Amino acid sequence: MAIKIYQNQIRPTEEVTARASTPGMRVSMDTAAAPGRALSGMLKSGEALYVKYEQQKSENEVIEASKKMDETQMGSQNEIIKEGLGTKVNRFKESTKPDEALANYKQEWQTQIDTITPTLKGKFAKKYFKSYMNKRYISESGAIRDNTFVNFRNESRSLKINSLQNIVYKLANNPEGSVAHNQATADLNEFNTSQNNYDLFGDKFKQLQFDTLNNIDALTIEVDLDKNPRQTYENFKA
Protein backbone atom coordinates (compact mmCIF):
# COMPACT_ATOMS: atom_id res chain seq x y z
CA MET A 1 0.00 0.00 0.00
CA ALA A 2 1.41 3.34 -1.02
CA ILE A 3 1.76 6.17 1.56
CA LYS A 4 0.73 9.62 0.34
CA ILE A 5 2.76 12.51 1.74
CA TYR A 6 0.92 15.84 2.00
CA GLN A 7 2.77 19.08 1.34
CA ASN A 8 1.87 22.72 1.85
CA GLN A 9 0.22 24.15 -1.13
CA ILE A 10 2.52 27.16 -1.10
CA ARG A 11 6.20 26.58 -0.68
CA PRO A 12 9.12 28.85 -1.44
CA THR A 13 10.79 27.73 -4.61
CA GLU A 14 13.55 29.00 -6.79
CA GLU A 15 10.89 30.16 -9.14
CA VAL A 16 9.29 32.44 -6.59
CA THR A 17 12.46 33.92 -5.12
CA ALA A 18 13.96 34.58 -8.45
CA ARG A 19 10.82 35.91 -10.00
CA ALA A 20 11.62 38.89 -12.16
CA SER A 21 9.97 42.26 -11.72
CA THR A 22 7.34 43.23 -14.23
CA PRO A 23 5.89 46.60 -15.19
CA GLY A 24 2.65 45.74 -13.46
CA MET A 25 4.11 44.99 -10.06
CA ARG A 26 3.40 47.60 -7.30
CA VAL A 27 4.79 48.34 -3.80
CA SER A 28 2.33 49.58 -1.18
CA MET A 29 2.68 53.21 0.03
CA ASP A 30 3.12 52.03 3.61
CA THR A 31 6.02 49.80 2.60
CA ALA A 32 7.60 52.54 0.54
CA ALA A 33 7.36 55.06 3.41
CA ALA A 34 8.77 52.72 6.07
CA PRO A 35 12.46 53.60 5.57
CA GLY A 36 11.66 57.31 5.66
CA ARG A 37 9.65 56.97 8.85
CA ALA A 38 12.44 55.04 10.49
CA LEU A 39 14.97 57.68 9.52
CA SER A 40 12.66 60.49 10.65
CA GLY A 41 12.15 58.78 14.01
CA MET A 42 15.87 58.43 14.50
CA LEU A 43 16.42 62.09 13.67
CA LYS A 44 13.66 63.25 16.01
CA SER A 45 14.95 61.08 18.84
CA GLY A 46 18.45 62.44 18.35
CA GLU A 47 17.15 65.99 18.17
CA ALA A 48 15.12 65.59 21.38
CA LEU A 49 18.16 64.19 23.17
CA TYR A 50 20.27 67.09 21.99
CA VAL A 51 17.67 69.65 23.13
CA LYS A 52 17.53 68.07 26.59
CA TYR A 53 21.28 68.17 26.78
CA GLU A 54 21.39 71.85 25.85
CA GLN A 55 18.60 72.65 28.31
CA GLN A 56 20.36 70.95 31.19
CA LYS A 57 23.66 72.55 30.25
CA SER A 58 22.00 75.96 30.25
CA GLU A 59 20.34 75.29 33.62
CA ASN A 60 23.71 74.33 35.09
CA GLU A 61 25.25 77.51 33.72
CA VAL A 62 22.53 79.65 35.30
CA ILE A 63 22.99 77.90 38.66
CA GLU A 64 26.73 78.59 38.57
CA ALA A 65 26.12 82.21 37.56
CA SER A 66 23.67 82.73 40.43
CA LYS A 67 26.22 81.36 42.91
CA LYS A 68 28.85 83.80 41.73
CA MET A 69 26.31 86.63 41.81
CA ASP A 70 25.59 85.99 45.50
CA GLU A 71 29.20 85.41 46.43
CA THR A 72 30.82 88.00 48.69
CA GLN A 73 34.56 88.29 48.11
CA MET A 74 36.81 89.22 51.00
CA GLY A 75 40.29 90.74 50.80
CA SER A 76 43.45 89.81 52.67
CA GLN A 77 42.58 92.30 55.42
CA ASN A 78 39.09 90.85 55.74
CA GLU A 79 37.67 93.80 53.85
CA ILE A 80 34.80 93.36 51.41
CA ILE A 81 35.98 93.52 47.82
CA LYS A 82 32.71 92.50 46.19
CA GLU A 83 29.40 92.27 48.00
CA GLY A 84 27.05 89.56 46.77
CA LEU A 85 23.52 90.45 45.74
CA GLY A 86 22.04 88.31 48.53
CA THR A 87 24.06 90.25 51.12
CA LYS A 88 22.94 93.54 49.60
CA VAL A 89 19.32 92.39 49.79
CA ASN A 90 19.70 91.75 53.53
CA ARG A 91 21.20 95.20 53.96
CA PHE A 92 18.41 96.83 51.97
CA LYS A 93 15.83 95.08 54.17
CA GLU A 94 17.27 96.84 57.23
CA SER A 95 16.59 100.29 55.80
CA THR A 96 13.91 102.62 57.16
CA LYS A 97 13.43 104.21 53.73
CA PRO A 98 11.32 101.91 51.50
CA ASP A 99 11.53 104.00 48.32
CA GLU A 100 15.30 104.37 48.53
CA ALA A 101 15.88 100.72 49.38
CA LEU A 102 13.71 99.46 46.50
CA ALA A 103 15.37 101.84 44.04
CA ASN A 104 18.84 100.68 45.12
CA TYR A 105 17.83 97.04 44.85
CA LYS A 106 16.39 97.51 41.36
CA GLN A 107 19.61 99.17 40.26
CA GLU A 108 21.74 96.33 41.64
CA TRP A 109 19.41 93.74 40.11
CA GLN A 110 19.67 95.37 36.68
CA THR A 111 23.45 95.67 37.00
CA GLN A 112 23.72 91.92 37.59
CA ILE A 113 21.58 91.21 34.53
CA ASP A 114 23.64 93.52 32.33
CA THR A 115 26.90 92.05 33.61
CA ILE A 116 26.11 88.34 33.58
CA THR A 117 23.84 87.93 30.54
CA PRO A 118 26.55 88.59 27.91
CA THR A 119 28.77 85.92 29.49
CA LEU A 120 26.22 83.11 29.16
CA LYS A 121 26.95 80.69 26.30
CA GLY A 122 24.29 78.00 26.54
CA LYS A 123 21.57 78.00 23.88
CA PHE A 124 18.87 78.48 26.53
CA ALA A 125 21.00 80.11 29.26
CA LYS A 126 20.02 83.73 28.60
CA LYS A 127 16.32 82.83 28.52
CA TYR A 128 16.60 80.80 31.73
CA PHE A 129 18.63 83.48 33.46
CA LYS A 130 16.09 86.17 32.59
CA SER A 131 13.29 84.01 33.98
CA TYR A 132 15.33 83.31 37.13
CA MET A 133 16.07 86.98 37.70
CA ASN A 134 12.45 88.01 37.14
CA LYS A 135 11.28 85.52 39.77
CA ARG A 136 14.00 86.68 42.10
CA TYR A 137 13.00 90.32 41.64
CA ILE A 138 9.41 89.59 42.60
CA SER A 139 10.48 87.70 45.73
CA GLU A 140 13.28 89.99 46.93
CA SER A 141 11.61 93.31 46.16
CA GLY A 142 8.54 92.11 48.07
CA ALA A 143 10.67 91.16 51.08
CA ILE A 144 12.47 94.51 50.98
CA ARG A 145 9.19 96.39 50.75
CA ASP A 146 7.59 94.54 53.67
CA ASN A 147 10.62 94.82 55.95
CA THR A 148 11.37 98.46 55.22
CA PHE A 149 7.76 99.50 55.81
CA VAL A 150 7.89 97.82 59.23
CA ASN A 151 11.19 99.57 59.94
CA PHE A 152 9.75 102.88 58.79
CA ARG A 153 6.73 102.47 61.05
CA ASN A 154 8.90 101.64 64.05
CA GLU A 155 11.16 104.61 63.38
CA SER A 156 8.11 106.87 63.04
CA ARG A 157 6.78 105.60 66.36
CA SER A 158 10.10 106.30 68.01
CA LEU A 159 10.15 109.86 66.66
CA LYS A 160 6.61 110.46 67.84
CA ILE A 161 7.40 109.16 71.33
CA ASN A 162 10.44 111.45 71.50
CA SER A 163 8.28 114.44 70.60
CA LEU A 164 5.76 113.34 73.23
CA GLN A 165 8.48 113.17 75.87
CA ASN A 166 9.38 116.79 75.10
CA ILE A 167 5.76 117.75 75.70
CA VAL A 168 5.73 115.83 78.98
CA TYR A 169 8.91 117.61 80.09
CA LYS A 170 7.42 121.05 79.36
CA LEU A 171 4.21 120.24 81.23
CA ALA A 172 6.13 119.02 84.26
CA ASN A 173 8.68 121.86 84.38
CA ASN A 174 6.44 124.85 83.77
CA PRO A 175 3.74 126.16 86.11
CA GLU A 176 0.13 125.92 85.05
CA GLY A 177 -1.06 129.07 83.32
CA SER A 178 2.35 129.93 81.89
CA VAL A 179 2.80 130.36 78.14
CA ALA A 180 5.03 127.30 77.93
CA HIS A 181 2.59 125.13 79.89
CA ASN A 182 -0.38 126.28 77.82
CA GLN A 183 1.47 125.54 74.58
CA ALA A 184 2.51 122.09 75.80
CA THR A 185 -1.12 121.38 76.79
CA ALA A 186 -2.25 122.35 73.28
CA ASP A 187 0.46 120.16 71.76
CA LEU A 188 -0.63 117.20 73.90
CA ASN A 189 -4.26 117.62 72.88
CA GLU A 190 -3.22 117.78 69.24
CA PHE A 191 -1.17 114.61 69.65
CA ASN A 192 -4.03 112.74 71.32
CA THR A 193 -6.58 113.72 68.70
CA SER A 194 -4.40 113.05 65.66
CA GLN A 195 -5.80 110.35 63.38
CA ASN A 196 -2.31 109.79 61.97
CA ASN A 197 -1.01 108.99 65.43
CA TYR A 198 -3.90 106.65 66.06
CA ASP A 199 -3.22 104.85 62.78
CA LEU A 200 0.50 104.70 63.53
CA PHE A 201 0.18 103.13 66.99
CA GLY A 202 -3.02 101.19 66.39
CA ASP A 203 -4.38 99.40 69.48
CA LYS A 204 -1.35 100.59 71.48
CA PHE A 205 -2.39 104.24 71.24
CA LYS A 206 -4.71 104.25 74.27
CA GLN A 207 -2.01 102.64 76.39
CA LEU A 208 0.43 105.30 75.22
CA GLN A 209 -1.99 108.04 76.25
CA PHE A 210 -2.43 106.44 79.69
CA ASP A 211 1.32 106.06 80.19
CA THR A 212 1.87 109.67 79.12
CA LEU A 213 -0.48 111.02 81.81
CA ASN A 214 1.28 108.88 84.44
CA ASN A 215 4.66 110.16 83.26
CA ILE A 216 3.45 113.75 83.52
CA ASP A 217 2.30 113.21 87.11
CA ALA A 218 5.48 111.38 88.12
CA LEU A 219 7.79 113.94 86.55
CA THR A 220 5.81 116.84 88.00
CA ILE A 221 6.14 115.40 91.50
CA GLU A 222 9.85 114.88 90.95
CA VAL A 223 10.31 118.49 89.83
CA ASP A 224 8.25 119.81 92.76
CA LEU A 225 10.27 117.72 95.22
CA ASP A 226 13.46 119.28 93.91
CA LYS A 227 12.02 122.79 94.30
CA ASN A 228 10.16 122.47 97.59
CA PRO A 229 10.17 119.03 99.22
CA ARG A 230 8.08 120.01 102.24
CA GLN A 231 5.35 121.72 100.28
CA THR A 232 5.23 118.87 97.82
CA TYR A 233 4.84 116.42 100.65
CA GLU A 234 1.99 118.45 102.16
CA ASN A 235 0.27 118.73 98.78
CA PHE A 236 0.64 115.01 98.27
CA LYS A 237 -1.00 114.25 101.64
CA ALA A 238 -3.90 116.61 101.03
Side-chain angles (χ1 to χ4, degrees):
M1 179 177 177
I3 299 175
K4 186 176 182 179
I5 299 175
Y6 292 91
Q7 296 180 341
N8 292 334
Q9 293 180 353
I10 301 176
R11 298 177 62 195
T13 64
E14 292 296 328
E15 180 185 356
V16 174
T17 57
R19 185 176 180 182
S21 298
T22 64
M25 294 181 66
R26 296 181 180 180
V27 178
S28 69
M29 295 298 294
D30 185 67
T31 302
R37 287 200 304 270
L39 179 60
S40 176
M42 291 175 61
L43 292 176
K44 288 182 179 179
S45 177
E47 182 180 355
L49 183 62
Y50 176 74
V51 169
K52 289 182 179 180
Y53 163 73
E54 288 293 341
Q55 288 175 334
Q56 189 59 60
K57 188 172 71 171
S58 296
E59 286 182 11
N60 294 347
E61 190 176 6
V62 170
I63 291 173
E64 291 298 325
S66 66
K67 287 181 180 179
K68 291 181 180 179
M69 181 172 58
D70 285 326
E71 190 176 71
T72 295
Q73 298 178 358
M74 307 298 293
S76 57
Q77 303 298 321
N78 205 33
E79 76 279 11
I80 296 178
I81 298 177
K82 172 186 168 293
E83 192 176 32
L85 182 60
T87 303
K88 290 180 180 180
V89 168
N90 290 333
R91 178 161 52 81
F92 293 148
K93 288 194 293 187
E94 295 175 356
S95 174
T96 59
K97 301 175 181 178
D99 294 340
E100 181 179 307
L102 286 170
N104 289 337
Y105 169 71
K106 186 175 184 179
Q107 182 179 355
E108 291 292 341
W109 174 82
Q110 187 63 53
T111 297
Q112 295 297 332
I113 291 179
D114 296 340
T115 302
I116 295 176
T117 300
T119 68
L120 300 175
K121 299 178 181 179
K123 290 185 177 296
F124 302 95
K126 292 180 180 180
K127 175 184 176 181
Y128 289 170
F129 184 68
K130 181 179 180 181
S131 176
Y132 167 78
M133 291 300 288
N134 286 341
K135 292 177 181 177
R136 183 161 178 167
Y137 181 84
I138 294 173
S139 174
E140 291 179 336
S141 63
I144 292 172
R145 181 189 62 247
D146 293 344
N147 280 270
T148 53
F149 270 112
V150 171
N151 297 339
F152 174 75
R153 182 192 62 193
N154 292 338
E155 182 185 56
S156 299
R157 286 177 175 179
S158 179
L159 292 173
K160 288 287 187 177
I161 290 174
N162 288 338
S163 68
L164 187 59
Q165 289 175 343
N166 290 332
I167 295 174
V168 170
Y169 179 84
K170 291 177 182 179
L171 288 172
N173 284 273
N174 291 282
E176 293 186 16
S178 66
V179 175
H181 192 278
N182 290 340
Q183 183 60 55
T185 301
D187 292 340
L188 181 60
N189 290 334
E190 181 180 352
F191 185 94
N192 289 333
T193 57
S194 170
Q195 183 64 41
N196 288 338
N197 290 338
Y198 181 82
D199 294 339
L200 179 62
F201 289 95
D203 57 1
K204 298 180 180 180
F205 191 53
K206 290 187 179 299
Q207 183 63 46
L208 177 62
Q209 291 174 315
F210 179 79
D211 292 341
T212 299
L213 294 178
N214 285 339
N215 291 338
I216 293 172
D217 291 339
L219 187 57
T220 299
I221 292 174
E222 183 179 337
V223 170
D224 290 343
L225 284 171
D226 288 339
K227 293 179 179 179
N228 192 334
R230 181 179 295 276
Q231 184 61 48
T232 301
Y233 179 70
E234 293 298 329
N235 292 341
F236 189 73
K237 288 195 325 179

